Amino acid sequence: MSDAMGEFPVPDVEDLPEDVRARIEAETEDAGFTPNVFAAFAYRPSHFRAFFAYHDALVEQTALEREEIEMLIVTVSGVNDCYYCTVAHGALLRIYADDPYLADQLAANHRAADLAEPHRTMLDVAVKLTESPGEVDSDDIERLREVGFSQKAAWDIASVTAYYNLSNRMANFADMRPNEEFHTLGR
């Protein structure tokens, strides 16, 4: 796990609080490897707990499909030049969407991807919230409603977008590196 990030030390798993260690071990068992984001955020256990508690709420208690969440993450991460998240969540998007090309298209330029209108609108709003948050207004929420997103789904779109803007900034700042395994998953 020492190659998880370049700018800060990665703690040894055995030195971590029990709950953090247990979460990392569970994720390692599920994935077959330890995703570097877990090793990296373990640098600050209280932040690890908050970060993953919010992550879990976003993916477990949502009006969005998991494929839509991953589409948002990859698109926002591409806009933010987040190497870790475009690679790691690109792998998840390939799996959830059962599409070997969509993640690459979204990471490069969501406007060039072959998308249905609801998803194009969702990603347009997410990019606007990422690049020009002060310009987002009720018209953007109305655009989401017009293409079929519920009020809760609109909230979830903004929540995922905001959370991954934070995540991207931390990953870039800490120089988090994607695991090699992510590059080939879902291809």
Side-chain angles (χ1 to χ4, degrees):
M1 288 194 330
S2 63
D3 61 348
M5 62 180 167
E7 295 297 333
F8 296 88
V10 176
D12 292 327
V13 175
E14 57 273 359
D15 296 334
L16 294 170
E18 175 57 34
D19 63 316
V20 173
R21 186 171 58 248
R23 176 68 186 262
I24 291 172
E25 290 169 354
E27 294 295 335
T28 300
E29 186 174 323
D30 283 350
F33 61 95
T34 303
N36 284 342
V37 68
F38 291 92
F41 267 94
Y43 175 69
R44 301 282 290 158
S46 63
H47 297 189
F48 177 103
R49 291 179 190 104
F51 183 82
F52 288 109
Y54 194 41
H55 169 273
D56 295 347
L58 289 173
V59 300
E60 294 169 7
Q61 301 158 9
T62 182
L64 300 173
E65 297 297 323
R66 185 61 188 261
E67 173 185 342
E68 292 171 322
I69 292 169
E70 298 302 332
M71 290 171 71
L72 286 161
I73 298 166
V74 171
T75 300
V76 167
S77 299
V79 168
N80 288 326
D81 297 320
C82 182
Y83 178 46
Y84 183 89
C85 291
T86 56
V87 172
H89 289 278
L92 293 174
L93 178 56
R94 287 190 297 273
I95 292 166
Y96 285 111
D98 193 26
D99 184 332
Y101 306 109
L102 182 59
D104 294 334
Q105 293 169 345
L106 297 182
N109 178 0
H110 79 282
R111 291 171 197 88
D114 183 23
L115 297 171
E117 185 61 25
H119 289 151
R120 181 164 314 285
T121 301
M122 173 184 78
L123 298 177
D124 285 345
V125 171
V127 168
K128 184 176 180 181
L129 183 57
T130 298
E131 294 180 327
S132 306
E135 295 177 17
V136 173
D137 58 24
S138 58
D139 289 343
D140 297 300
I141 297 168
E142 185 56 33
R143 287 176 51 215
L144 291 170
R145 286 189 190 126
E146 287 173 359
V147 295
F149 288 104
S150 67
Q151 191 164 342
K152 284 185 180 179
W155 177 276
D156 292 350
I157 289 165
S159 294
V160 169
T161 300
Y163 176 82
Y164 276 92
N165 273 290
L166 170 128
S167 178
N168 295 163
R169 284 153 177 76
M170 288 305 299
N172 286 339
F173 185 75
D175 188 28
M176 286 184 205
R177 311 304 296 174
N179 304 70
E180 287 183 21
E181 294 88 343
F182 284 128
H183 288 280
T184 56
L185 282 173
R187 294 207 190 261

